[in-house]
Amino acid sequence: MILFLLSKHSTCALTSVSRSLIKPTNLSRPAVPFAANYIYESTTSKLFMSTDADISDLEERIKVKGDEIRKMKADGADKFSLAPHVEELLALKAKLEPAVDNSKKEVKTSQSGKVGGKKESIQTMKESDMTDSELRQARLAKVESMRKEGVEPYAYSYKPTHTAKELQDLYEGKLEGGEEDESADVAVAGRIMAKRIFGKLSFFTLQDESGTIQLQMEKSRLGDTFKNLKAWVDAGDILGVRGTIRRTDKGELSVYATEWTMLTKSAAPLPDKWHGLTDISKRYRSRHLDLIVNPIVRETFRKRAIITSTLRKELDAMGFLEIETPVLHSQPGGAEAKPFETYHNTMDMNLTLRIATELHLKRLIVGGFHKVYEIGRIFRNEGVSTRHNPEFTSIELYQAYADYEDMMELTERLVVSMCDAVSDSRKLPYGEHIVSLERPWRRVTMNDIVKEYIKDIDFESLDPNNPEDLEKAKAAARAAGVPKVDELTSIGYVLNQCFEELCEPNLIQPTFVIDYPVDVSPLAKPHRSKPGYTERFEMFATGRELANSFSELTDPVDQRVRFEAQAAKKAAGDEEACDVDEEFLSALEQGMPPTGGLGIGIDRLVMLLTNSPSIRDVIAFPLLKAES
């Protein structure tokens, strides 16, 4: 995706983006396909520069040219095309050498006065010339220097009075260029993202959780500490700064510093360039850096927290109770999925991590609770894709005396409330689509939606016990291009396969697909008027399932028959089928009231509400293969 985007933007355009970085950033998602997730290099190319005024322009030109060459290489340019650009870069670097003050370099000499062949000291080398090890060594040397001066480089606490955003909002439309609010006394704390030093004046860019604000640091106000500021502070350090508020001549709101405090000296420097994060796995593996350099990523996880908080508030207000259930199970159940297996030493027990919270929550309904839910981690030993992660977050809820019709109403209410909490509109951009969450949502039976793609057969009219009808269903599916139908053993399985292959990818707008075959719904109540079908729905949007719901099966005899059918599949080699759960059946025999159940995949819902293309974009630390 990054290569695609870079091919559509000139170097000039990218430079203009980078130069606007320190201005307030619009965090709203674009309507183009996930573009904001990947334009990292353009928005960070100026972020970590640290130069003296007399050579800053030349260094900037070198950086821009270097970026251009890297992009050309990434786009597959050959050596012949690269040659003139490389020559230009070398010429620019040659111009830079005379501009460097060689008197600052520490050169070792022998007793005879001849120049030795040793490298300059770490303290006097330019960061751009240092290796990662040398950069770390230089910063740790500054830590020791601070301690020798009686300054602690790792503070215990600090009391900011405002965030960056609070100050930006407070002074919106106030102060003319060059004007100072001398009565202000503010303190901010955050990471230094950029610094520009001009002799006795310097400007830093400080970033906190809310955004960025400029710091104006002058020797005339800071006195002797200005010297230490220049000597000790690097991009990436965390500072506390107190001062008044001033708007610079160019109109940039700034904290006009009267004092500064080193809160955390960063031993590992921020990257000079994050190289566009073209290796997507680096974004996830080094999420801390991803969060530091990209405000949109921070915004995604801020919204995720608001989404789950809103969900809890809505359910709590409706009288639901959140009750935690076990993560370690003696046998898997509640879904068709391969579990992770583990072992408890003291109890000498083979255990699995839960693949669902369903069966324990239903036992709570049997025990007398009317409305229960749990938001928690689920673990399934399955493949990884843009929509699947081995551990994910879901909510399951159960309401006594309700059915799947009630659950459809509840699903709409909950999802719309979460949308309203993080968006000004219920019409959301997702990739190249606009998804409307305005109620009511479409409702269609699985049979009817499949008929839109296979018009010459009605699955509901077929006899599930007639082998000839099963062959008719398979023939119709084959003719429509549906794969792997020969191995299917029932009309219900054929119908479900047709739906998944032909219909599901095209369900972009929120849609309730209702009335599933009993073959694929072992825990759902039989449909009250359609033999062979169940009162079940799944909610789809953006071509993927977001929610699943039943009128829950309460007949213990019917439930045992379905469990035994699942156990037979498992004995035949199906790793995702479940066994007979005697503890759950024992509870069901005590009597469970009519109950509606609902499960929503939190990660996939957050993907929709934040316009994120991959489930890994909404999980802070997704599981990754070990680096080779």
Side-chain angles (χ1 to χ4, degrees), residues 423-454:
S423 173
D424 295 331
S425 172
R426 294 179 184 175
K427 294 182 178 180
L428 306 174
Y430 192 81
E432 60 186 10
H433 303 287
I434 297 296
V435 178
S436 175
L437 296 181
E438 292 290 355
R439 302 173 67 182
W441 300 344
R442 181 191 182 195
R443 302 182 184 190
V444 59
T445 68
M446 179 179 284
N447 181 67
D448 287 345
I449 198 169
V450 169
K451 283 172 65 176
E452 294 175 8
Y453 294 83
I454 306 179

Short mmCIF file of all heavy atoms in Angstrom, two decimals, residues 423-454:
data_model
loop_
_atom_site.label_atom_id
_atom_site.label_comp_id
_atom_site.label_asym_id
_atom_site.label_seq_id
_atom_site.Cartn_x
_atom_site.Cartn_y
_atom_site.Cartn_z
N SER A 423 -17.92 9.20 16.70
CA SER A 423 -18.07 9.79 15.38
C SER A 423 -19.22 10.80 15.39
O SER A 423 -20.23 10.60 16.06
CB SER A 423 -18.34 8.71 14.32
OG SER A 423 -18.64 9.27 13.07
N ASP A 424 -19.06 11.85 14.59
CA ASP A 424 -20.12 12.85 14.46
C ASP A 424 -21.20 12.42 13.47
O ASP A 424 -22.22 13.09 13.33
CB ASP A 424 -19.53 14.18 14.00
CG ASP A 424 -18.60 14.79 15.03
OD1 ASP A 424 -18.81 14.53 16.23
OD2 ASP A 424 -17.66 15.51 14.65
N SER A 425 -20.95 11.32 12.75
CA SER A 425 -21.88 10.87 11.72
C SER A 425 -22.06 9.36 11.82
O SER A 425 -21.15 8.64 12.23
CB SER A 425 -21.37 11.23 10.32
OG SER A 425 -22.17 10.65 9.31
N ARG A 426 -23.24 8.88 11.43
CA ARG A 426 -23.48 7.44 11.35
C ARG A 426 -23.19 6.91 9.94
O ARG A 426 -23.40 5.72 9.70
CB ARG A 426 -24.93 7.13 11.75
CG ARG A 426 -25.20 7.43 13.22
CD ARG A 426 -26.64 7.14 13.60
NE ARG A 426 -26.89 7.52 15.01
CZ ARG A 426 -28.07 7.48 15.60
NH1 ARG A 426 -29.13 7.04 14.91
NH2 ARG A 426 -28.21 7.84 16.85
N LYS A 427 -22.72 7.76 9.07
CA LYS A 427 -22.26 7.34 7.76
C LYS A 427 -20.74 7.37 7.78
O LYS A 427 -20.13 8.45 7.81
CB LYS A 427 -22.83 8.24 6.66
CG LYS A 427 -24.34 8.10 6.54
CD LYS A 427 -24.91 8.96 5.40
CE LYS A 427 -26.42 8.76 5.29
NZ LYS A 427 -27.01 9.58 4.21
N LEU A 428 -20.14 6.19 7.79
CA LEU A 428 -18.72 6.06 8.07
C LEU A 428 -17.94 5.66 6.82
O LEU A 428 -18.36 4.74 6.09
CB LEU A 428 -18.49 5.00 9.15
CG LEU A 428 -19.26 5.18 10.46
CD1 LEU A 428 -19.03 3.97 11.35
CD2 LEU A 428 -18.84 6.46 11.16
N PRO A 429 -16.79 6.29 6.58
CA PRO A 429 -15.92 5.80 5.50
C PRO A 429 -15.25 4.50 5.93
O PRO A 429 -14.77 4.38 7.05
CB PRO A 429 -14.89 6.92 5.35
CG PRO A 429 -14.83 7.58 6.69
CD PRO A 429 -16.22 7.46 7.27
N TYR A 430 -15.26 3.52 5.04
CA TYR A 430 -14.49 2.30 5.28
C TYR A 430 -13.88 1.87 3.96
O TYR A 430 -14.58 1.39 3.06
CB TYR A 430 -15.34 1.18 5.86
CG TYR A 430 -14.47 0.04 6.36
CD1 TYR A 430 -13.85 0.13 7.60
CD2 TYR A 430 -14.19 -1.06 5.57
CE1 TYR A 430 -13.00 -0.86 8.06
CE2 TYR A 430 -13.35 -2.07 6.02
CZ TYR A 430 -12.75 -1.96 7.26
OH TYR A 430 -11.89 -2.94 7.70
N GLY A 431 -12.56 2.09 3.83
CA GLY A 431 -11.92 1.82 2.55
C GLY A 431 -12.54 2.68 1.48
O GLY A 431 -12.64 3.90 1.60
N GLU A 432 -13.00 2.05 0.42
CA GLU A 432 -13.61 2.79 -0.69
C GLU A 432 -15.13 2.92 -0.52
O GLU A 432 -15.80 3.47 -1.39
CB GLU A 432 -13.32 2.06 -2.01
CG GLU A 432 -13.85 0.65 -2.06
CD GLU A 432 -13.42 -0.09 -3.31
OE1 GLU A 432 -12.55 0.43 -4.03
OE2 GLU A 432 -13.94 -1.19 -3.54
N HIS A 433 -15.67 2.46 0.59
CA HIS A 433 -17.11 2.45 0.80
C HIS A 433 -17.52 3.49 1.85
O HIS A 433 -16.71 3.93 2.66
CB HIS A 433 -17.58 1.07 1.27
CG HIS A 433 -17.24 -0.05 0.34
ND1 HIS A 433 -17.87 -0.23 -0.86
CD2 HIS A 433 -16.32 -1.04 0.45
CE1 HIS A 433 -17.37 -1.30 -1.46
NE2 HIS A 433 -16.41 -1.80 -0.70
N ILE A 434 -18.79 3.85 1.82
CA ILE A 434 -19.43 4.59 2.91
C ILE A 434 -20.48 3.66 3.51
O ILE A 434 -21.40 3.21 2.83
CB ILE A 434 -20.10 5.88 2.41
CG1 ILE A 434 -19.06 6.83 1.82
CG2 ILE A 434 -20.84 6.56 3.56
CD1 ILE A 434 -18.03 7.34 2.81
N VAL A 435 -20.32 3.35 4.79
CA VAL A 435 -21.21 2.42 5.48
C VAL A 435 -22.17 3.22 6.35
O VAL A 435 -21.73 4.00 7.21
CB VAL A 435 -20.40 1.42 6.35
CG1 VAL A 435 -21.34 0.49 7.10
CG2 VAL A 435 -19.44 0.63 5.48
N SER A 436 -23.46 3.06 6.12
CA SER A 436 -24.46 3.78 6.90
C SER A 436 -25.00 2.90 8.02
O SER A 436 -25.54 1.82 7.77
CB SER A 436 -25.62 4.22 5.99
OG SER A 436 -26.64 4.82 6.78
N LEU A 437 -24.88 3.39 9.24
CA LEU A 437 -25.40 2.66 10.40
C LEU A 437 -26.77 3.19 10.82
O LEU A 437 -27.28 2.82 11.89
CB LEU A 437 -24.42 2.76 11.57
CG LEU A 437 -23.06 2.10 11.36
CD1 LEU A 437 -22.19 2.25 12.60
CD2 LEU A 437 -23.20 0.62 10.99
N GLU A 438 -27.38 4.04 10.01
CA GLU A 438 -28.71 4.54 10.34
C GLU A 438 -29.69 3.37 10.43
O GLU A 438 -29.70 2.47 9.60
CB GLU A 438 -29.18 5.53 9.27
CG GLU A 438 -28.40 6.84 9.23
CD GLU A 438 -28.67 7.73 10.43
OE1 GLU A 438 -29.55 7.37 11.25
OE2 GLU A 438 -28.03 8.79 10.54
N ARG A 439 -30.53 3.39 11.47
CA ARG A 439 -31.52 2.33 11.68
C ARG A 439 -32.77 2.61 10.86
O ARG A 439 -33.07 3.77 10.57
CB ARG A 439 -31.86 2.24 13.16
CG ARG A 439 -30.67 1.97 14.06
CD ARG A 439 -31.01 2.07 15.53
NE ARG A 439 -31.92 0.97 15.92
CZ ARG A 439 -32.40 0.84 17.15
NH1 ARG A 439 -32.07 1.72 18.10
NH2 ARG A 439 -33.20 -0.15 17.45
N PRO A 440 -33.52 1.54 10.51
CA PRO A 440 -33.28 0.11 10.78
C PRO A 440 -32.35 -0.50 9.72
O PRO A 440 -32.20 0.04 8.63
CB PRO A 440 -34.68 -0.49 10.67
CG PRO A 440 -35.36 0.36 9.65
CD PRO A 440 -34.84 1.75 9.87
N TRP A 441 -31.75 -1.65 10.07
CA TRP A 441 -30.87 -2.35 9.14
C TRP A 441 -31.64 -3.42 8.39
O TRP A 441 -32.68 -3.91 8.85
CB TRP A 441 -29.70 -2.99 9.90
CG TRP A 441 -28.86 -2.01 10.65
CD1 TRP A 441 -28.83 -0.64 10.49
CD2 TRP A 441 -27.95 -2.29 11.71
NE1 TRP A 441 -27.95 -0.07 11.37
CE2 TRP A 441 -27.39 -1.06 12.14
CE3 TRP A 441 -27.54 -3.46 12.33
CZ2 TRP A 441 -26.44 -0.98 13.15
CZ3 TRP A 441 -26.60 -3.38 13.34
CH2 TRP A 441 -26.06 -2.15 13.75
N ARG A 442 -31.11 -3.79 7.24
CA ARG A 442 -31.76 -4.80 6.42
C ARG A 442 -31.83 -6.15 7.14
O ARG A 442 -30.87 -6.53 7.82
CB ARG A 442 -30.99 -4.96 5.11
CG ARG A 442 -31.59 -5.97 4.15
CD ARG A 442 -30.65 -6.29 3.01
NE ARG A 442 -31.25 -7.23 2.06
CZ ARG A 442 -30.58 -7.89 1.14
NH1 ARG A 442 -29.26 -7.73 1.02
NH2 ARG A 442 -31.20 -8.72 0.31
N ARG A 443 -32.94 -6.87 6.97
CA ARG A 443 -33.10 -8.21 7.49
C ARG A 443 -33.50 -9.13 6.34
O ARG A 443 -34.45 -8.83 5.60
CB ARG A 443 -34.16 -8.27 8.59
CG ARG A 443 -33.84 -7.34 9.76
CD ARG A 443 -34.86 -7.44 10.88
NE ARG A 443 -34.58 -6.46 11.94
CZ ARG A 443 -35.18 -6.45 13.12
NH1 ARG A 443 -36.11 -7.36 13.39
NH2 ARG A 443 -34.88 -5.53 14.01
N VAL A 444 -32.78 -10.25 6.16
CA VAL A 444 -33.04 -11.16 5.06
C VAL A 444 -32.67 -12.58 5.49
O VAL A 444 -31.69 -12.78 6.21
CB VAL A 444 -32.24 -10.75 3.80
CG1 VAL A 444 -30.74 -10.73 4.06
CG2 VAL A 444 -32.57 -11.63 2.60
N THR A 445 -33.48 -13.56 5.09
CA THR A 445 -33.16 -14.94 5.46
C THR A 445 -31.98 -15.43 4.62
O THR A 445 -31.73 -14.94 3.51
CB THR A 445 -34.36 -15.88 5.22
OG1 THR A 445 -34.60 -15.99 3.81
CG2 THR A 445 -35.60 -15.38 5.93
N MET A 446 -31.25 -16.41 5.15
CA MET A 446 -30.14 -16.98 4.40
C MET A 446 -30.64 -17.57 3.07
O MET A 446 -29.99 -17.41 2.04
CB MET A 446 -29.42 -18.06 5.22
CG MET A 446 -28.26 -18.71 4.47
SD MET A 446 -27.38 -19.97 5.42
CE MET A 446 -26.42 -18.94 6.52
N ASN A 447 -31.80 -18.23 3.10
CA ASN A 447 -32.34 -18.82 1.87
C ASN A 447 -32.62 -17.74 0.82
O ASN A 447 -32.27 -17.89 -0.35
CB ASN A 447 -33.62 -19.59 2.18
CG ASN A 447 -34.21 -20.25 0.96
OD1 ASN A 447 -33.63 -21.17 0.40
ND2 ASN A 447 -35.37 -19.77 0.52
N ASP A 448 -33.24 -16.64 1.24
CA ASP A 448 -33.60 -15.59 0.28
C ASP A 448 -32.39 -14.89 -0.31
O ASP A 448 -32.37 -14.55 -1.50
CB ASP A 448 -34.53 -14.57 0.94
CG ASP A 448 -35.93 -15.12 1.16
OD1 ASP A 448 -36.25 -16.16 0.56
OD2 ASP A 448 -36.69 -14.51 1.95
N ILE A 449 -31.36 -14.67 0.49
CA ILE A 449 -30.19 -13.97 -0.04
C ILE A 449 -29.39 -14.87 -0.97
O ILE A 449 -28.82 -14.40 -1.96
CB ILE A 449 -29.31 -13.39 1.10
CG1 ILE A 449 -28.38 -12.31 0.52
CG2 ILE A 449 -28.51 -14.47 1.80
CD1 ILE A 449 -27.67 -11.49 1.57
N VAL A 450 -29.39 -16.18 -0.71
CA VAL A 450 -28.72 -17.10 -1.63
C VAL A 450 -29.49 -17.16 -2.95
O VAL A 450 -28.90 -17.27 -4.03
CB VAL A 450 -28.57 -18.50 -1.00
CG1 VAL A 450 -28.14 -19.53 -2.04
CG2 VAL A 450 -27.56 -18.45 0.14
N LYS A 451 -30.83 -17.06 -2.89
CA LYS A 451 -31.64 -17.08 -4.12
C LYS A 451 -31.33 -15.88 -5.02
O LYS A 451 -31.57 -15.94 -6.23
CB LYS A 451 -33.13 -17.08 -3.76
CG LYS A 451 -33.65 -18.44 -3.29
CD LYS A 451 -35.06 -18.36 -2.76
CE LYS A 451 -36.05 -17.97 -3.82
NZ LYS A 451 -37.45 -17.98 -3.30
N GLU A 452 -30.79 -14.81 -4.45
CA GLU A 452 -30.39 -13.67 -5.28
C GLU A 452 -29.22 -14.03 -6.19
O GLU A 452 -29.00 -13.38 -7.21
CB GLU A 452 -30.02 -12.49 -4.39
CG GLU A 452 -31.20 -11.92 -3.59
CD GLU A 452 -30.77 -10.82 -2.62
OE1 GLU A 452 -29.58 -10.40 -2.70
OE2 GLU A 452 -31.61 -10.39 -1.81
N TYR A 453 -28.46 -15.07 -5.82
CA TYR A 453 -27.30 -15.49 -6.60
C TYR A 453 -27.53 -16.82 -7.33
O TYR A 453 -26.90 -17.07 -8.35
CB TYR A 453 -26.08 -15.61 -5.69
CG TYR A 453 -25.62 -14.29 -5.11
CD1 TYR A 453 -26.22 -13.75 -3.98
CD2 TYR A 453 -24.61 -13.54 -5.73
CE1 TYR A 453 -25.83 -12.53 -3.46
CE2 TYR A 453 -24.21 -12.32 -5.22
CZ TYR A 453 -24.83 -11.81 -4.09
OH TYR A 453 -24.42 -10.60 -3.59
N ILE A 454 -28.39 -17.66 -6.78
CA ILE A 454 -28.74 -18.94 -7.43
C ILE A 454 -30.27 -18.95 -7.57
O ILE A 454 -30.99 -19.33 -6.65
CB ILE A 454 -28.27 -20.16 -6.61
CG1 ILE A 454 -26.78 -20.06 -6.28
CG2 ILE A 454 -28.54 -21.45 -7.38
CD1 ILE A 454 -26.26 -21.21 -5.45
#
